[in-house]
Structures are given as C-alpha cells and as structure tokens.
C-alpha cells in the first residue's frame, strides 16, 4: 500500500531473511513512498535494529528526508533514530555514514 515495495514491507515487519534476499537480488534500497519514507526509515520507525544495519551496510541512502507529516518532515533515518532514542540504530547509522 501507499506505493511501498516488497523491501519496504519486509523491512517494516522485521523479516531479516527476506530483507537479505531482496538486497542480494538488487532491490531498490532508496525507493520512497508515503511521507517520502524509505525502507531504512520504516525499519527505524518500527524498531528493527538488525534490518537498519543490513540496509545501511548495503548502501541505503542515509540522506533521504521525510515529508509532509509531523515527526517525519525534513528528518533522516538518523534523526528518527535519535528522536526515539534508539541507541543501537544511532550507532549503526553513524558508522555507516562515517
């Protein structure tokens, strides 16, 4: 729904094996849908530490910003992680951006 890809759906729902498989088969890591959220951002919002690490390591764009909704507008995945005090994700995202 809302223009989301299979990668976005499995990232949001926490299916690590499916995320790995989709990455391996060339899924678009940076597709955005409603509120301009990416798979990485959906993983952050839904507390999926392992998936955040997988997507960041695979080269997901860390600079994508959300739009249109309070809490998302102008915020990156790192901003969302910091806003929710998700310590593990913050470290993963900072390491990937270094």
């Amino acid at each position: 729904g809302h223009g989301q890809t299979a990668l976005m759906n499995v990232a949001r729902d926490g299916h690590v094996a499916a995320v790995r498989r989709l990455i391996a088969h060339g899924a678009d890591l940076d597709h955005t849908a409603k509120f301009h959220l990416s798979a990485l951002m959906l993983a952050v919002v839904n507390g999926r530490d392992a998936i955040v690490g997988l997507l960041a390591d695979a080269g997901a764009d860390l600079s994508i910003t959300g739009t249109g909704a309070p809490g998302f507008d102008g915020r990156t995945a790192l901003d969302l992680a910091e806003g929710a005090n998700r310590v593990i994700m913050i470290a993963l995202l900072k390491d990937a951006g270094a």
Side-chain angles (χ1 to χ4, degrees), residues 35 37 41 45 65-77 79-81 83-84:
F35 304 124
L37 300 181
M41 296 165 87
V45 169
T65 57
T67 61
F72 297 130
D73 193 38
R75 300 182 78 194
T76 65
D79 296 330
L80 294 172

Side-chain angles (χ1 to χ4, degrees), residues 7 10-11 16 32 37-38 40 43 47 50 54 56 59 72 81 86 93:
L7 179 62
V10 296
V16 174
T32 61
L37 300 181
S38 65
L40 176 62
L54 287 171
F72 297 130
R86 297 187 188 277
L93 292 167

Side-chain angles (χ1 to χ4, degrees), residues 2-13 22 28-29 31-34 36-40 42-43:
H2 306 290
Q4 294 180 347
T5 64
L7 179 62
M8 295 171 86
N9 289 326
V10 296
R12 178 197 64 225
D13 294 341
L22 288 167
D28 181 356
L29 302 179
H31 178 84
T32 61
K34 188 174 183 181
H36 205 247
L37 300 181
S38 65
L40 176 62
L42 289 170

Side-chain angles (χ1 to χ4, degrees), residues 52 56 62 78 81-82 87-98:
V52 167
L62 305 179
L78 178 58
E82 288 174 339
V87 177
I88 293 170
M89 289 180 192
I90 293 167
L92 290 167
L93 292 167
K94 284 185 175 182
D95 286 347

